[in-house]
Amino acid sequence: MTAIERQGKPTSTLAKIGRIAFSVLVLVGVFFVLWVGFIFLRDSNASQGIIAIIAIVWGVGGTALLFWVADWVINRTSVTTAKKLQPIIFVGPALLILTWYLFIPTVRSLYLSFFDAQSKNFVGLANYVFAFTDSKMRESFMNNLLWLIIGTGGSVGFGLIIALLVDRVKMEKVYKSIIFMPMAISFVGAGVIWRFIYSYKPAGEDQIGLLNAIVTFFGGEPQAWFTIPFWNNIFLIAILVWLQTGYAMVIISSALKGVPSAIIEAGRIDGAKEFRIIRSIIIPFIAPTLITVSTTIIIITLKIFDIVFTMTNGNYGTEVIASMQYKQMFRFYHYGRGSAIAIVLVLAVIPVMWYNLHQFSKREGF
């Protein structure tokens, strides 16, 4: 190796280190500018509307700029290094956010669940004993089971029936759009809408609730639907079915289009009736999709809170696990019990999530 080559090699290495250092400095500078902008928006005395507009532009534009600069920095490294760093740069922030907002609060809740109301004195498993023995908690477990069976079964069942029917009509997209439309409404918004449907006025007064208006029109007596034991839970579950049927229909309908028409025609040639074809050919073929949709809705029903909170606030025997956790935390200020109930809910959701991810993995969903 000549002297010139020996001198050139360190120079090249130094130049490479300098480029990397400059790139990292640019990335840190962009992040610092974004952080200063965030602090300015937080402490600004401007009107809320202006701050909101600037925050949206700053947040979206700043995030895009940050990713662009990060990608620019990575591309200035070697190809091997870039391939290793790119997943970290683009997936890393999402993992950090998930860790900060999901994993850390879960661990903290687990820790607090072993302490008393004020999180000062260690009480062992006392909060978990309360979670499984208190009468209101037993009521919430039974109600959640009811939501699981009727809510999930109703959503998937109606979704399957509607998907089978709309695939046979000319205006398929129109009907699907109408049925899917409730998915655009939040659970709280749906609760407010259905409060008007279930609204009750004493006999002799004008009924503003749609259901009681129909009952009185046919000569019946108006009913306070939310005070009827057992059935009041069914009336609440009907809202979930109304919301989730469109989701189930869309996913199942896409699976139905993948059923080979040759198999269906072969069944008809063999003399199978329509119901037999659905039961013996179509449903087994789309079974993985039905399972995925069911497990997704099961997770929603396990965490159900909004509908109960806006409609009955858990009164009249309609408590669910999430509403009990909310009340223990924010109404009775018993952080130990609230945390224990939250952990119980997490433990109930994890097996369903694992099964759902397992099904996706089997179908090479990711």
Side-chain angles (χ1 to χ4, degrees), residues 51-83:
I51 291 177
I53 294 172
I54 296 176
I56 292 172
V57 175
W58 189 266
V60 176
T63 302
L65 177 63
L66 191 61
F67 275 107
W68 182 82
V69 172
D71 184 61
W72 176 77
V73 170
I74 290 175
N75 287 331
R76 294 176 68 85
T77 62
S78 65
V79 176
T80 304
T81 304
K83 287 183 178 180

Short mmCIF file of all heavy atoms in Angstrom, two decimals, residues 51-83:
data_model
loop_
_atom_site.label_atom_id
_atom_site.label_comp_id
_atom_site.label_asym_id
_atom_site.label_seq_id
_atom_site.Cartn_x
_atom_site.Cartn_y
_atom_site.Cartn_z
N ILE A 51 -54.74 28.40 17.04
CA ILE A 51 -53.80 27.42 17.59
C ILE A 51 -54.08 26.03 17.03
O ILE A 51 -53.16 25.29 16.69
CB ILE A 51 -53.89 27.41 19.14
CG1 ILE A 51 -53.34 28.72 19.70
CG2 ILE A 51 -53.13 26.22 19.71
CD1 ILE A 51 -53.45 28.83 21.20
N ALA A 52 -55.37 25.69 16.90
CA ALA A 52 -55.73 24.37 16.37
C ALA A 52 -55.26 24.20 14.94
O ALA A 52 -54.69 23.17 14.57
CB ALA A 52 -57.24 24.18 16.47
N ILE A 53 -55.46 25.25 14.11
CA ILE A 53 -55.05 25.17 12.70
C ILE A 53 -53.53 25.05 12.59
O ILE A 53 -53.00 24.20 11.86
CB ILE A 53 -55.56 26.41 11.94
CG1 ILE A 53 -57.09 26.40 11.86
CG2 ILE A 53 -54.96 26.45 10.52
CD1 ILE A 53 -57.69 27.66 11.29
N ILE A 54 -52.82 25.89 13.35
CA ILE A 54 -51.36 25.84 13.32
C ILE A 54 -50.85 24.50 13.83
O ILE A 54 -49.90 23.92 13.28
CB ILE A 54 -50.76 27.00 14.15
CG1 ILE A 54 -51.14 28.35 13.51
CG2 ILE A 54 -49.24 26.87 14.23
CD1 ILE A 54 -50.69 29.55 14.32
N ALA A 55 -51.50 23.98 14.88
CA ALA A 55 -51.08 22.71 15.44
C ALA A 55 -51.23 21.58 14.44
O ALA A 55 -50.36 20.69 14.35
CB ALA A 55 -51.88 22.41 16.71
N ILE A 56 -52.32 21.60 13.68
CA ILE A 56 -52.53 20.55 12.67
C ILE A 56 -51.46 20.62 11.59
O ILE A 56 -50.83 19.63 11.23
CB ILE A 56 -53.94 20.67 12.06
CG1 ILE A 56 -55.00 20.33 13.11
CG2 ILE A 56 -54.08 19.75 10.85
CD1 ILE A 56 -56.42 20.62 12.66
N VAL A 57 -51.24 21.85 11.08
CA VAL A 57 -50.23 22.03 10.02
C VAL A 57 -48.84 21.70 10.56
O VAL A 57 -48.05 20.99 9.93
CB VAL A 57 -50.27 23.48 9.48
CG1 VAL A 57 -49.15 23.70 8.47
CG2 VAL A 57 -51.63 23.76 8.84
N TRP A 58 -48.55 22.21 11.75
CA TRP A 58 -47.24 21.98 12.36
C TRP A 58 -47.02 20.50 12.67
O TRP A 58 -45.95 19.96 12.42
CB TRP A 58 -47.12 22.81 13.63
CG TRP A 58 -45.75 22.83 14.23
CD1 TRP A 58 -45.27 22.01 15.20
CD2 TRP A 58 -44.67 23.69 13.87
NE1 TRP A 58 -43.96 22.32 15.50
CE2 TRP A 58 -43.56 23.35 14.69
CE3 TRP A 58 -44.52 24.72 12.94
CZ2 TRP A 58 -42.35 24.00 14.60
CZ3 TRP A 58 -43.31 25.37 12.87
CH2 TRP A 58 -42.24 25.02 13.68
N GLY A 59 -48.05 19.87 13.22
CA GLY A 59 -47.91 18.47 13.60
C GLY A 59 -47.75 17.56 12.40
O GLY A 59 -46.81 16.76 12.33
N VAL A 60 -48.67 17.68 11.42
CA VAL A 60 -48.61 16.81 10.24
C VAL A 60 -47.38 17.11 9.40
O VAL A 60 -46.61 16.21 9.02
CB VAL A 60 -49.89 16.96 9.39
CG1 VAL A 60 -49.79 16.14 8.11
CG2 VAL A 60 -51.12 16.55 10.20
N GLY A 61 -47.17 18.41 9.11
CA GLY A 61 -46.00 18.80 8.30
C GLY A 61 -44.70 18.48 9.00
O GLY A 61 -43.74 18.01 8.38
N GLY A 62 -44.66 18.75 10.31
CA GLY A 62 -43.43 18.48 11.06
C GLY A 62 -43.11 17.00 11.12
O GLY A 62 -41.94 16.61 11.00
N THR A 63 -44.12 16.18 11.30
CA THR A 63 -43.89 14.73 11.33
C THR A 63 -43.39 14.24 9.98
O THR A 63 -42.46 13.43 9.91
CB THR A 63 -45.19 14.00 11.72
OG1 THR A 63 -45.65 14.48 12.99
CG2 THR A 63 -44.97 12.51 11.79
N ALA A 64 -44.01 14.72 8.90
CA ALA A 64 -43.57 14.35 7.56
C ALA A 64 -42.12 14.80 7.32
O ALA A 64 -41.31 14.05 6.76
CB ALA A 64 -44.50 14.95 6.51
N LEU A 65 -41.80 16.03 7.77
CA LEU A 65 -40.43 16.53 7.61
C LEU A 65 -39.45 15.70 8.41
O LEU A 65 -38.34 15.38 7.93
CB LEU A 65 -40.37 17.99 8.05
CG LEU A 65 -38.99 18.66 8.02
CD1 LEU A 65 -38.48 18.71 6.59
CD2 LEU A 65 -39.05 20.06 8.64
N LEU A 66 -39.84 15.32 9.61
CA LEU A 66 -38.96 14.53 10.47
C LEU A 66 -38.65 13.17 9.83
O LEU A 66 -37.50 12.72 9.81
CB LEU A 66 -39.61 14.34 11.84
CG LEU A 66 -38.73 13.76 12.95
CD1 LEU A 66 -37.55 14.68 13.22
CD2 LEU A 66 -39.54 13.56 14.21
N PHE A 67 -39.68 12.51 9.28
CA PHE A 67 -39.45 11.23 8.62
C PHE A 67 -38.61 11.40 7.35
O PHE A 67 -37.77 10.56 7.04
CB PHE A 67 -40.79 10.57 8.28
CG PHE A 67 -41.38 9.78 9.41
CD1 PHE A 67 -42.47 10.23 10.11
CD2 PHE A 67 -40.83 8.56 9.79
CE1 PHE A 67 -43.01 9.51 11.16
CE2 PHE A 67 -41.35 7.82 10.83
CZ PHE A 67 -42.44 8.31 11.52
N TRP A 68 -38.84 12.51 6.63
CA TRP A 68 -38.08 12.74 5.40
C TRP A 68 -36.61 12.95 5.72
O TRP A 68 -35.72 12.40 5.05
CB TRP A 68 -38.64 13.96 4.67
CG TRP A 68 -37.94 14.24 3.37
CD1 TRP A 68 -38.17 13.65 2.16
CD2 TRP A 68 -36.87 15.18 3.17
NE1 TRP A 68 -37.31 14.16 1.21
CE2 TRP A 68 -36.50 15.09 1.80
CE3 TRP A 68 -36.19 16.07 3.99
CZ2 TRP A 68 -35.49 15.87 1.26
CZ3 TRP A 68 -35.18 16.84 3.46
CH2 TRP A 68 -34.84 16.74 2.11
N VAL A 69 -36.33 13.75 6.74
CA VAL A 69 -34.95 14.00 7.13
C VAL A 69 -34.30 12.71 7.64
O VAL A 69 -33.14 12.41 7.35
CB VAL A 69 -34.88 15.10 8.21
CG1 VAL A 69 -33.47 15.23 8.76
CG2 VAL A 69 -35.33 16.43 7.62
N ALA A 70 -35.07 11.91 8.43
CA ALA A 70 -34.54 10.65 8.93
C ALA A 70 -34.19 9.72 7.78
O ALA A 70 -33.13 9.05 7.79
CB ALA A 70 -35.55 9.99 9.86
N ASP A 71 -35.04 9.67 6.77
CA ASP A 71 -34.76 8.84 5.60
C ASP A 71 -33.54 9.35 4.85
O ASP A 71 -32.71 8.56 4.37
CB ASP A 71 -36.00 8.83 4.68
CG ASP A 71 -35.81 7.90 3.49
OD1 ASP A 71 -35.64 6.69 3.72
OD2 ASP A 71 -35.85 8.39 2.34
N TRP A 72 -33.39 10.68 4.78
CA TRP A 72 -32.23 11.28 4.13
C TRP A 72 -30.95 10.93 4.86
O TRP A 72 -29.93 10.62 4.26
CB TRP A 72 -32.43 12.79 4.06
CG TRP A 72 -31.27 13.54 3.48
CD1 TRP A 72 -30.92 13.65 2.17
CD2 TRP A 72 -30.29 14.30 4.22
NE1 TRP A 72 -29.80 14.43 2.02
CE2 TRP A 72 -29.39 14.84 3.27
CE3 TRP A 72 -30.10 14.57 5.57
CZ2 TRP A 72 -28.32 15.64 3.65
CZ3 TRP A 72 -29.03 15.37 5.94
CH2 TRP A 72 -28.15 15.89 4.99
N VAL A 73 -31.02 10.95 6.18
CA VAL A 73 -29.86 10.59 6.99
C VAL A 73 -29.47 9.13 6.77
O VAL A 73 -28.29 8.80 6.59
CB VAL A 73 -30.15 10.83 8.49
CG1 VAL A 73 -29.04 10.24 9.36
CG2 VAL A 73 -30.29 12.32 8.77
N ILE A 74 -30.46 8.24 6.75
CA ILE A 74 -30.18 6.81 6.58
C ILE A 74 -29.57 6.53 5.22
O ILE A 74 -28.64 5.73 5.08
CB ILE A 74 -31.47 6.00 6.77
CG1 ILE A 74 -31.89 6.02 8.24
CG2 ILE A 74 -31.28 4.56 6.32
CD1 ILE A 74 -33.20 5.36 8.50
N ASN A 75 -30.09 7.21 4.20
CA ASN A 75 -29.60 6.96 2.84
C ASN A 75 -28.16 7.44 2.64
O ASN A 75 -27.54 7.12 1.62
CB ASN A 75 -30.52 7.64 1.82
CG ASN A 75 -31.85 6.91 1.70
OD1 ASN A 75 -31.91 5.70 1.90
ND2 ASN A 75 -32.90 7.64 1.39
N ARG A 76 -27.64 8.20 3.57
CA ARG A 76 -26.24 8.65 3.47
C ARG A 76 -25.28 7.63 4.08
O ARG A 76 -24.07 7.82 4.05
CB ARG A 76 -26.07 10.00 4.17
CG ARG A 76 -26.84 11.13 3.48
CD ARG A 76 -26.73 12.44 4.27
NE ARG A 76 -25.37 12.97 4.26
CZ ARG A 76 -24.85 13.72 3.30
NH1 ARG A 76 -25.60 14.03 2.24
NH2 ARG A 76 -23.62 14.18 3.38
N THR A 77 -25.83 6.57 4.65
CA THR A 77 -24.99 5.49 5.17
C THR A 77 -24.84 4.41 4.11
O THR A 77 -25.39 4.51 3.00
CB THR A 77 -25.60 4.90 6.45
OG1 THR A 77 -26.88 4.33 6.14
CG2 THR A 77 -25.79 5.98 7.50
N SER A 78 -24.15 3.33 4.45
CA SER A 78 -23.98 2.22 3.51
C SER A 78 -25.31 1.50 3.30
O SER A 78 -26.24 1.63 4.10
CB SER A 78 -22.93 1.24 4.05
OG SER A 78 -23.40 0.65 5.25
N VAL A 79 -25.38 0.72 2.24
CA VAL A 79 -26.61 0.02 1.91
C VAL A 79 -26.99 -0.96 3.02
O VAL A 79 -28.15 -1.06 3.43
CB VAL A 79 -26.45 -0.73 0.57
CG1 VAL A 79 -27.71 -1.56 0.28
CG2 VAL A 79 -26.18 0.24 -0.56
N THR A 80 -25.99 -1.67 3.55
CA THR A 80 -26.26 -2.64 4.62
C THR A 80 -26.80 -1.95 5.87
O THR A 80 -27.77 -2.40 6.48
CB THR A 80 -24.97 -3.41 4.97
OG1 THR A 80 -24.46 -4.03 3.78
CG2 THR A 80 -25.25 -4.48 6.01
N THR A 81 -26.16 -0.85 6.23
CA THR A 81 -26.61 -0.11 7.42
C THR A 81 -27.99 0.48 7.21
O THR A 81 -28.83 0.47 8.12
CB THR A 81 -25.61 1.02 7.74
OG1 THR A 81 -24.30 0.46 7.89
CG2 THR A 81 -26.00 1.75 9.01
N ALA A 82 -28.25 0.99 6.01
CA ALA A 82 -29.56 1.59 5.72
C ALA A 82 -30.68 0.56 5.85
O ALA A 82 -31.75 0.87 6.39
CB ALA A 82 -29.55 2.18 4.31
N LYS A 83 -30.43 -0.66 5.36
CA LYS A 83 -31.46 -1.71 5.46
C LYS A 83 -31.77 -2.06 6.91
O LYS A 83 -32.90 -2.40 7.25
CB LYS A 83 -31.01 -2.96 4.70
CG LYS A 83 -31.05 -2.80 3.19
CD LYS A 83 -30.65 -4.10 2.49
CE LYS A 83 -30.76 -3.96 0.98
NZ LYS A 83 -30.36 -5.21 0.28
#
